[in-house]
Amino acid sequence: MTHPPISALTTHLGYWLRMVSNQVSLGFAKKLATMDVTVAEWVVMRELYDVETLAPSRLAERMGMTRGAISKLADRLLAKALIARDASPDDGRAQTLALTEAGRKLVPQLAALADANDADYFGHLPPTERQMLEAVLKTVAERRDIRTIPVE
Amino acid sequence: MTHPPISALTTHLGYWLRMVSNQVSLGFAKKLATMDVTVAEWVVMRELYDVETLAPSRLAERMGMTRGAISKLADRLLAKALIARDASPDDGRAQTLALTEAGRKLVPQLAALADANDADYFGHLPPTERQMLEAVLKTVAERRDIRTIPVE
DNA sequence: TCGATATTGTTTCCTAGTCAACTATCTTTC
DNA sequence: GAAAGATAGTTGACTAGGAAACAATATCGA
């Protein structure tokens, strides 16, 4: 009554990647939660910080989410008065999203949390290892043409 | 009307980690979907493969999910006749979960998909880089005492 | 120029989790 | 040995996302 031997979960690089990634993201989510912000909300705000104005569908592409999800996400940020939603001046279908003053003031604080989180999890690594890790991850992303901003 | 300069998303190691991890997991999820299995279901089945029998609450601990989630997950696997759920012989509150024959036959096929997915994303890396990546990830996991099997 | 097609954003239905309350049992403590 | 507390599993309310259908508007092609 033996069964075919198969590889353990832990033999996969994807296992370790996800295990660490989940915890890092969870840690970040908890930090953001103290400011009543989710990771997805943070990404939207960070994107808007640089560009003044952005269409929801662009955001959907960049974040690898559906337009439906962005629609609801924008609703939530609107309810918190962190972004503004306006009709596009040159396209009757389109909208523009932009940070409110309150939203813009919040972004640097959230960015500090992101910095802190990275330090929490990777700060102890020797610079060589950090660079190596970053380089390898970028290699994989490059090779598979991965571009969307990770949210979830 | 300039705004405080803040770090870009891409300066964080966590960003790259999650970006790659998300895609690797997505790729795996798609492979599993061809067999009508989710990642969470796969993990449950893989855990049961080694142990003959396991209590839902042990599974919850190992997978870092709530007992409620495991309860529903077990319902789904039960509906697919991949696992069996029985009352524990020695504890009136407890249950035992076990693979059915169909479930047990499926596991090696799913394991092959896991192997293939890892090869898809990391196969092109030189052995040195693979080992380095694995070692660094394990270091971080170890240091933060991360143990739960990543699912989501 | 007008009909076909594409794009934008919203909405509804579905899924898979969390959280917290609940029931049923088991264990501890006096 | 009974009361108090802990533990096992389930359930219901809620959340955040995806998929697909939809209405409104733009664009393209004959």
mmCIF file of all heavy atoms in Angstrom, chain C residues 16-30:
data_model
loop_
_atom_site.group_PDB
_atom_site.id
_atom_site.type_symbol
_atom_site.label_atom_id
_atom_site.label_comp_id
_atom_site.label_asym_id
_atom_site.label_seq_id
_atom_site.Cartn_x
_atom_site.Cartn_y
_atom_site.Cartn_z
ATOM 1 P P DA C 16 -13.973 29.042 -5.501
ATOM 2 O OP1 DA C 16 -13.018 28.367 -6.416
ATOM 3 O OP2 DA C 16 -15.115 28.315 -4.910
ATOM 4 O "O5'" DA C 16 -13.127 29.688 -4.321
ATOM 5 C "C5'" DA C 16 -12.092 30.593 -4.647
ATOM 6 C "C4'" DA C 16 -11.728 31.360 -3.402
ATOM 7 O "O4'" DA C 16 -12.734 32.355 -3.136
ATOM 8 C "C3'" DA C 16 -11.665 30.491 -2.141
ATOM 9 O "O3'" DA C 16 -10.541 30.907 -1.393
ATOM 10 C "C2'" DA C 16 -12.955 30.823 -1.415
ATOM 11 C "C1'" DA C 16 -13.085 32.298 -1.776
ATOM 12 N N9 DA C 16 -14.428 32.828 -1.609
ATOM 13 C C8 DA C 16 -15.611 32.175 -1.778
ATOM 14 N N7 DA C 16 -16.669 32.917 -1.545
ATOM 15 C C5 DA C 16 -16.135 34.146 -1.205
ATOM 16 C C6 DA C 16 -16.726 35.369 -0.847
ATOM 17 N N6 DA C 16 -18.034 35.547 -0.769
ATOM 18 N N1 DA C 16 -15.892 36.401 -0.565
ATOM 19 C C2 DA C 16 -14.575 36.222 -0.645
ATOM 20 N N3 DA C 16 -13.907 35.125 -0.981
ATOM 21 C C4 DA C 16 -14.749 34.105 -1.247
ATOM 22 P P DG C 17 -9.789 29.860 -0.424
ATOM 23 O OP1 DG C 17 -8.747 29.217 -1.214
ATOM 24 O OP2 DG C 17 -10.813 29.058 0.278
ATOM 25 O "O5'" DG C 17 -9.070 30.843 0.605
ATOM 26 C "C5'" DG C 17 -9.627 31.179 1.812
ATOM 27 C "C4'" DG C 17 -9.765 32.671 1.961
ATOM 28 O "O4'" DG C 17 -10.906 33.098 1.208
ATOM 29 C "C3'" DG C 17 -10.070 33.086 3.400
ATOM 30 O "O3'" DG C 17 -8.878 33.321 4.117
ATOM 31 C "C2'" DG C 17 -10.862 34.367 3.214
ATOM 32 C "C1'" DG C 17 -11.537 34.176 1.877
ATOM 33 N N9 DG C 17 -12.980 33.873 1.967
ATOM 34 C C8 DG C 17 -13.600 32.700 1.610
ATOM 35 N N7 DG C 17 -14.885 32.746 1.748
ATOM 36 C C5 DG C 17 -15.149 34.018 2.230
ATOM 37 C C6 DG C 17 -16.372 34.652 2.561
ATOM 38 O O6 DG C 17 -17.510 34.182 2.493
ATOM 39 N N1 DG C 17 -16.171 35.952 3.015
ATOM 40 C C2 DG C 17 -14.949 36.569 3.125
ATOM 41 N N2 DG C 17 -14.944 37.811 3.580
ATOM 42 N N3 DG C 17 -13.801 35.991 2.807
ATOM 43 C C4 DG C 17 -13.975 34.729 2.371
ATOM 44 P P DT C 18 -8.817 33.070 5.682
ATOM 45 O OP1 DT C 18 -7.400 33.042 6.075
ATOM 46 O OP2 DT C 18 -9.701 31.949 5.992
ATOM 47 O "O5'" DT C 18 -9.495 34.402 6.272
ATOM 48 C "C5'" DT C 18 -8.938 35.684 5.974
ATOM 49 C "C4'" DT C 18 -9.806 36.755 6.610
ATOM 50 O "O4'" DT C 18 -11.137 36.662 6.050
ATOM 51 C "C3'" DT C 18 -9.954 36.566 8.122
ATOM 52 O "O3'" DT C 18 -9.656 37.784 8.781
ATOM 53 C "C2'" DT C 18 -11.385 36.138 8.323
ATOM 54 C "C1'" DT C 18 -12.094 36.683 7.094
ATOM 55 N N1 DT C 18 -13.215 35.815 6.686
ATOM 56 C C2 DT C 18 -14.489 36.279 6.839
ATOM 57 O O2 DT C 18 -14.750 37.374 7.292
ATOM 58 N N3 DT C 18 -15.469 35.407 6.431
ATOM 59 C C4 DT C 18 -15.298 34.146 5.898
ATOM 60 O O4 DT C 18 -16.257 33.466 5.572
ATOM 61 C C5 DT C 18 -13.931 33.715 5.778
ATOM 62 C C7 DT C 18 -13.623 32.355 5.231
ATOM 63 C C6 DT C 18 -12.967 34.553 6.172
ATOM 64 P P DC C 19 -9.285 37.744 10.344
ATOM 65 O OP1 DC C 19 -8.228 38.755 10.527
ATOM 66 O OP2 DC C 19 -9.079 36.340 10.741
ATOM 67 O "O5'" DC C 19 -10.634 38.236 11.056
ATOM 68 C "C5'" DC C 19 -11.506 39.125 10.392
ATOM 69 C "C4'" DC C 19 -12.819 39.204 11.168
ATOM 70 O "O4'" DC C 19 -13.794 38.336 10.540
ATOM 71 C "C3'" DC C 19 -12.731 38.775 12.637
ATOM 72 O "O3'" DC C 19 -13.526 39.680 13.380
ATOM 73 C "C2'" DC C 19 -13.335 37.355 12.618
ATOM 74 C "C1'" DC C 19 -14.376 37.485 11.507
ATOM 75 N N1 DC C 19 -14.737 36.220 10.800
ATOM 76 C C2 DC C 19 -16.079 35.991 10.439
ATOM 77 O O2 DC C 19 -16.924 36.831 10.740
ATOM 78 N N3 DC C 19 -16.394 34.852 9.769
ATOM 79 C C4 DC C 19 -15.452 33.973 9.461
ATOM 80 N N4 DC C 19 -15.816 32.872 8.792
ATOM 81 C C5 DC C 19 -14.077 34.183 9.815
ATOM 82 C C6 DC C 19 -13.764 35.317 10.480
ATOM 83 P P DA C 20 -13.383 39.776 14.983
ATOM 84 O OP1 DA C 20 -13.171 41.198 15.293
ATOM 85 O OP2 DA C 20 -12.431 38.751 15.457
ATOM 86 O "O5'" DA C 20 -14.856 39.365 15.458
ATOM 87 C "C5'" DA C 20 -15.955 39.621 14.578
ATOM 88 C "C4'" DA C 20 -17.145 38.805 15.035
ATOM 89 O "O4'" DA C 20 -17.253 37.600 14.241
ATOM 90 C "C3'" DA C 20 -17.077 38.325 16.476
ATOM 91 O "O3'" DA C 20 -18.407 38.182 16.916
ATOM 92 C "C2'" DA C 20 -16.426 36.957 16.329
ATOM 93 C "C1'" DA C 20 -17.214 36.476 15.108
ATOM 94 N N9 DA C 20 -16.618 35.357 14.397
ATOM 95 C C8 DA C 20 -15.299 34.984 14.328
ATOM 96 N N7 DA C 20 -15.095 33.918 13.601
ATOM 97 C C5 DA C 20 -16.357 33.566 13.152
ATOM 98 C C6 DA C 20 -16.813 32.533 12.326
ATOM 99 N N6 DA C 20 -16.010 31.613 11.791
ATOM 100 N N1 DA C 20 -18.137 32.477 12.082
ATOM 101 C C2 DA C 20 -18.941 33.396 12.613
ATOM 102 N N3 DA C 20 -18.625 34.434 13.401
ATOM 103 C C4 DA C 20 -17.306 34.451 13.630
ATOM 104 P P DA C 21 -18.774 38.324 18.446
ATOM 105 O OP1 DA C 21 -19.196 39.722 18.660
ATOM 106 O OP2 DA C 21 -17.724 37.707 19.282
ATOM 107 O "O5'" DA C 21 -20.088 37.397 18.484
ATOM 108 C "C5'" DA C 21 -21.070 37.591 17.469
ATOM 109 C "C4'" DA C 21 -21.807 36.295 17.227
ATOM 110 O "O4'" DA C 21 -20.971 35.379 16.480
ATOM 111 C "C3'" DA C 21 -22.217 35.558 18.502
ATOM 112 O "O3'" DA C 21 -23.534 35.077 18.339
ATOM 113 C "C2'" DA C 21 -21.213 34.403 18.590
ATOM 114 C "C1'" DA C 21 -21.010 34.109 17.109
ATOM 115 N N9 DA C 21 -19.768 33.412 16.807
ATOM 116 C C8 DA C 21 -18.508 33.704 17.266
ATOM 117 N N7 DA C 21 -17.578 32.901 16.805
ATOM 118 C C5 DA C 21 -18.266 32.021 15.991
ATOM 119 C C6 DA C 21 -17.851 30.927 15.212
ATOM 120 N N6 DA C 21 -16.594 30.519 15.133
ATOM 121 N N1 DA C 21 -18.797 30.268 14.521
ATOM 122 C C2 DA C 21 -20.072 30.675 14.608
ATOM 123 N N3 DA C 21 -20.580 31.683 15.297
ATOM 124 C C4 DA C 21 -19.620 32.327 15.972
ATOM 125 P P DC C 22 -24.327 34.494 19.553
ATOM 126 O OP1 DC C 22 -25.717 34.946 19.370
ATOM 127 O OP2 DC C 22 -23.585 34.740 20.810
ATOM 128 O "O5'" DC C 22 -24.263 32.921 19.254
ATOM 129 C "C5'" DC C 22 -24.904 32.426 18.086
ATOM 130 C "C4'" DC C 22 -24.537 30.956 17.904
ATOM 131 O "O4'" DC C 22 -23.150 30.863 17.529
ATOM 132 C "C3'" DC C 22 -24.676 30.123 19.186
ATOM 133 O "O3'" DC C 22 -25.822 29.272 19.078
ATOM 134 C "C2'" DC C 22 -23.394 29.308 19.253
ATOM 135 C "C1'" DC C 22 -22.703 29.589 17.938
ATOM 136 N N1 DC C 22 -21.229 29.631 18.075
ATOM 137 C C2 DC C 22 -20.477 28.722 17.354
ATOM 138 O O2 DC C 22 -21.068 27.925 16.609
ATOM 139 N N3 DC C 22 -19.127 28.727 17.486
ATOM 140 C C4 DC C 22 -18.534 29.604 18.298
ATOM 141 N N4 DC C 22 -17.223 29.578 18.396
ATOM 142 C C5 DC C 22 -19.300 30.541 19.053
ATOM 143 C C6 DC C 22 -20.635 30.527 18.925
ATOM 144 P P DT C 23 -26.178 28.335 20.345
ATOM 145 O OP1 DT C 23 -27.648 28.252 20.330
ATOM 146 O OP2 DT C 23 -25.435 28.751 21.559
ATOM 147 O "O5'" DT C 23 -25.591 26.929 19.878
ATOM 148 C "C5'" DT C 23 -25.889 26.432 18.564
ATOM 149 C "C4'" DT C 23 -25.232 25.075 18.442
ATOM 150 O "O4'" DT C 23 -23.803 25.254 18.314
ATOM 151 C "C3'" DT C 23 -25.459 24.188 19.660
ATOM 152 O "O3'" DT C 23 -25.783 22.893 19.208
ATOM 153 C "C2'" DT C 23 -24.136 24.239 20.405
ATOM 154 C "C1'" DT C 23 -23.139 24.456 19.266
ATOM 155 N N1 DT C 23 -21.891 25.154 19.629
ATOM 156 C C2 DT C 23 -20.684 24.687 19.130
ATOM 157 O O2 DT C 23 -20.616 23.703 18.421
ATOM 158 N N3 DT C 23 -19.594 25.399 19.514
ATOM 159 C C4 DT C 23 -19.561 26.518 20.323
ATOM 160 O O4 DT C 23 -18.509 27.069 20.592
ATOM 161 C C5 DT C 23 -20.849 26.966 20.805
ATOM 162 C C7 DT C 23 -20.927 28.156 21.696
ATOM 163 C C6 DT C 23 -21.934 26.273 20.443
ATOM 164 P P DA C 24 -26.140 21.695 20.248
ATOM 165 O OP1 DA C 24 -27.159 20.853 19.600
ATOM 166 O OP2 DA C 24 -26.353 22.275 21.598
ATOM 167 O "O5'" DA C 24 -24.782 20.874 20.299
ATOM 168 C "C5'" DA C 24 -24.206 20.435 19.072
ATOM 169 C "C4'" DA C 24 -22.871 19.791 19.382
ATOM 170 O "O4'" DA C 24 -21.902 20.800 19.679
ATOM 171 C "C3'" DA C 24 -22.932 18.853 20.575
ATOM 172 O "O3'" DA C 24 -22.413 17.610 20.159
ATOM 173 C "C2'" DA C 24 -22.073 19.528 21.637
ATOM 174 C "C1'" DA C 24 -21.137 20.394 20.791
ATOM 175 N N9 DA C 24 -20.680 21.609 21.421
ATOM 176 C C8 DA C 24 -21.431 22.547 22.052
ATOM 177 N N7 DA C 24 -20.740 23.563 22.529
ATOM 178 C C5 DA C 24 -19.431 23.258 22.176
ATOM 179 C C6 DA C 24 -18.219 23.929 22.386
ATOM 180 N N6 DA C 24 -18.113 25.090 23.028
ATOM 181 N N1 DA C 24 -17.097 23.348 21.898
ATOM 182 C C2 DA C 24 -17.202 22.180 21.247
ATOM 183 N N3 DA C 24 -18.288 21.462 20.988
ATOM 184 C C4 DA C 24 -19.379 22.064 21.487
ATOM 185 P P DT C 25 -22.156 16.400 21.008
ATOM 186 O OP1 DT C 25 -22.562 15.182 20.319
ATOM 187 O OP2 DT C 25 -22.578 16.660 22.420
ATOM 188 O "O5'" DT C 25 -20.580 16.523 20.823
ATOM 189 C "C5'" DT C 25 -19.769 15.654 21.510
ATOM 190 C "C4'" DT C 25 -18.538 16.464 21.855
ATOM 191 O "O4'" DT C 25 -18.846 17.788 22.310
ATOM 192 C "C3'" DT C 25 -17.864 15.812 23.039
ATOM 193 O "O3'" DT C 25 -16.782 15.105 22.486
ATOM 194 C "C2'" DT C 25 -17.458 16.941 23.935
ATOM 195 C "C1'" DT C 25 -17.759 18.184 23.093
ATOM 196 N N1 DT C 25 -18.063 19.389 23.853
ATOM 197 C C2 DT C 25 -17.040 20.235 24.176
ATOM 198 O O2 DT C 25 -15.879 20.032 23.869
ATOM 199 N N3 DT C 25 -17.407 21.356 24.884
ATOM 200 C C4 DT C 25 -18.689 21.701 25.275
ATOM 201 O O4 DT C 25 -18.905 22.735 25.903
ATOM 202 C C5 DT C 25 -19.710 20.758 24.911
ATOM 203 C C7 DT C 25 -21.114 21.044 25.283
ATOM 204 C C6 DT C 25 -19.359 19.660 24.226
ATOM 205 P P DC C 26 -16.198 13.922 23.392
ATOM 206 O OP1 DC C 26 -15.791 12.903 22.403
ATOM 207 O OP2 DC C 26 -17.125 13.615 24.497
ATOM 208 O "O5'" DC C 26 -14.881 14.522 24.068
ATOM 209 C "C5'" DC C 26 -13.969 15.284 23.281
ATOM 210 C "C4'" DC C 26 -13.213 16.218 24.200
ATOM 211 O "O4'" DC C 26 -14.093 17.249 24.693
ATOM 212 C "C3'" DC C 26 -12.630 15.544 25.437
ATOM 213 O "O3'" DC C 26 -11.239 15.756 25.370
ATOM 214 C "C2'" DC C 26 -13.302 16.254 26.605
ATOM 215 C "C1'" DC C 26 -13.651 17.601 25.982
ATOM 216 N N1 DC C 26 -14.761 18.353 26.639
ATOM 217 C C2 DC C 26 -14.498 19.622 27.161
ATOM 218 O O2 DC C 26 -13.350 20.079 27.104
ATOM 219 N N3 DC C 26 -15.516 20.319 27.732
ATOM 220 C C4 DC C 26 -16.747 19.799 27.775
ATOM 221 N N4 DC C 26 -17.714 20.538 28.338
ATOM 222 C C5 DC C 26 -17.031 18.514 27.240
ATOM 223 C C6 DC C 26 -16.021 17.829 26.686
ATOM 224 P P DT C 27 -10.199 15.126 26.405
ATOM 225 O OP1 DT C 27 -8.906 14.933 25.717
ATOM 226 O OP2 DT C 27 -10.881 14.018 27.107
ATOM 227 O "O5'" DT C 27 -10.014 16.332 27.430
ATOM 228 C "C5'" DT C 27 -9.485 17.554 26.941
ATOM 229 C "C4'" DT C 27 -9.258 18.502 28.102
ATOM 230 O "O4'" DT C 27 -10.524 19.037 28.575
ATOM 231 C "C3'" DT C 27 -8.585 17.868 29.321
ATOM 232 O "O3'" DT C 27 -7.616 18.801 29.730
ATOM 233 C "C2'" DT C 27 -9.733 17.712 30.321
ATOM 234 C "C1'" DT C 27 -10.575 18.944 29.984
ATOM 235 N N1 DT C 27 -12.029 18.901 30.297
ATOM 236 C C2 DT C 27 -12.605 20.005 30.872
ATOM 237 O O2 DT C 27 -11.976 21.005 31.154
ATOM 238 N N3 DT C 27 -13.958 19.892 31.095
ATOM 239 C C4 DT C 27 -14.757 18.815 30.812
ATOM 240 O O4 DT C 27 -15.956 18.841 31.054
ATOM 241 C C5 DT C 27 -14.097 17.691 30.216
ATOM 242 C C7 DT C 27 -14.866 16.452 29.877
ATOM 243 C C6 DT C 27 -12.773 17.776 29.990
ATOM 244 P P DT C 28 -6.491 18.438 30.843
ATOM 245 O OP1 DT C 28 -5.186 18.604 30.198
ATOM 246 O OP2 DT C 28 -6.868 17.170 31.499
ATOM 247 O "O5'" DT C 28 -6.684 19.632 31.891
ATOM 248 C "C5'" DT C 28 -7.383 20.790 31.459
ATOM 249 C "C4'" DT C 28 -7.840 21.598 32.647
ATOM 250 O "O4'" DT C 28 -9.262 21.408 32.875
ATOM 251 C "C3'" DT C 28 -7.160 21.306 33.972
ATOM 252 O "O3'" DT C 28 -6.967 22.543 34.611
ATOM 253 C "C2'" DT C 28 -8.177 20.413 34.703
ATOM 254 C "C1'" DT C 28 -9.486 21.050 34.220
ATOM 255 N N1 DT C 28 -10.690 20.195 34.192
ATOM 256 C C2 DT C 28 -11.890 20.764 34.558
ATOM 257 O O2 DT C 28 -12.014 21.910 34.917
ATOM 258 N N3 DT C 28 -12.968 19.908 34.474
ATOM 259 C C4 DT C 28 -12.952 18.585 34.086
ATOM 260 O O4 DT C 28 -13.998 17.930 34.054
ATOM 261 C C5 DT C 28 -11.662 18.055 33.726
ATOM 262 C C7 DT C 28 -11.529 16.627 33.296
ATOM 263 C C6 DT C 28 -10.593 18.877 33.798
ATOM 264 P P DT C 29 -5.919 22.706 35.824
ATOM 265 O OP1 DT C 29 -4.915 23.685 35.357
ATOM 266 O OP2 DT C 29 -5.488 21.379 36.291
ATOM 267 O "O5'" DT C 29 -6.820 23.383 36.947
ATOM 268 C "C5'" DT C 29 -8.023 24.091 36.545
ATOM 269 C "C4'" DT C 29 -8.987 24.138 37.708
ATOM 270 O "O4'" DT C 29 -10.072 23.189 37.518
ATOM 271 C "C3'" DT C 29 -8.371 23.789 39.066
ATOM 272 O "O3'" DT C 29 -8.958 24.617 40.043
ATOM 273 C "C2'" DT C 29 -8.786 22.330 39.269
ATOM 274 C "C1'" DT C 29 -10.197 22.382 38.676
ATOM 275 N N1 DT C 29 -10.746 21.082 38.265
ATOM 276 C C2 DT C 29 -12.118 20.922 38.294
ATOM 277 O O2 DT C 29 -12.883 21.795 38.623
ATOM 278 N N3 DT C 29 -12.544 19.680 37.895
ATOM 279 C C4 DT C 29 -11.757 18.598 37.500
ATOM 280 O O4 DT C 29 -12.262 17.539 37.164
ATOM 281 C C5 DT C 29 -10.342 18.845 37.504
ATOM 282 C C7 DT C 29 -9.402 17.761 37.092
ATOM 283 C C6 DT C 29 -9.906 20.059 37.884
ATOM 284 P P DC C 30 -8.065 25.102 41.273
ATOM 285 O OP1 DC C 30 -7.636 26.469 40.981
ATOM 286 O OP2 DC C 30 -7.061 24.049 41.565
ATOM 287 O "O5'" DC C 30 -9.104 25.127 42.473
ATOM 288 C "C5'" DC C 30 -10.434 25.642 42.265
ATOM 289 C "C4'" DC C 30 -11.450 24.714 42.904
ATOM 290 O "O4'" DC C 30 -11.606 23.540 42.095
ATOM 291 C "C3'" DC C 30 -11.063 24.207 44.284
ATOM 292 O "O3'" DC C 30 -11.769 24.960 45.273
ATOM 293 C "C2'" DC C 30 -11.497 22.742 44.305
ATOM 294 C "C1'" DC C 30 -12.081 22.508 42.929
ATOM 295 N N1 DC C 30 -11.662 21.219 42.318
ATOM 296 C C2 DC C 30 -12.638 20.314 41.887
ATOM 297 O O2 DC C 30 -13.829 20.602 42.026
ATOM 298 N N3 DC C 30 -12.251 19.146 41.311
ATOM 299 C C4 DC C 30 -10.951 18.862 41.181
ATOM 300 N N4 DC C 30 -10.626 17.718 40.612
ATOM 301 C C5 DC C 30 -9.956 19.779 41.614
ATOM 302 C C6 DC C 30 -10.341 20.921 42.176
#
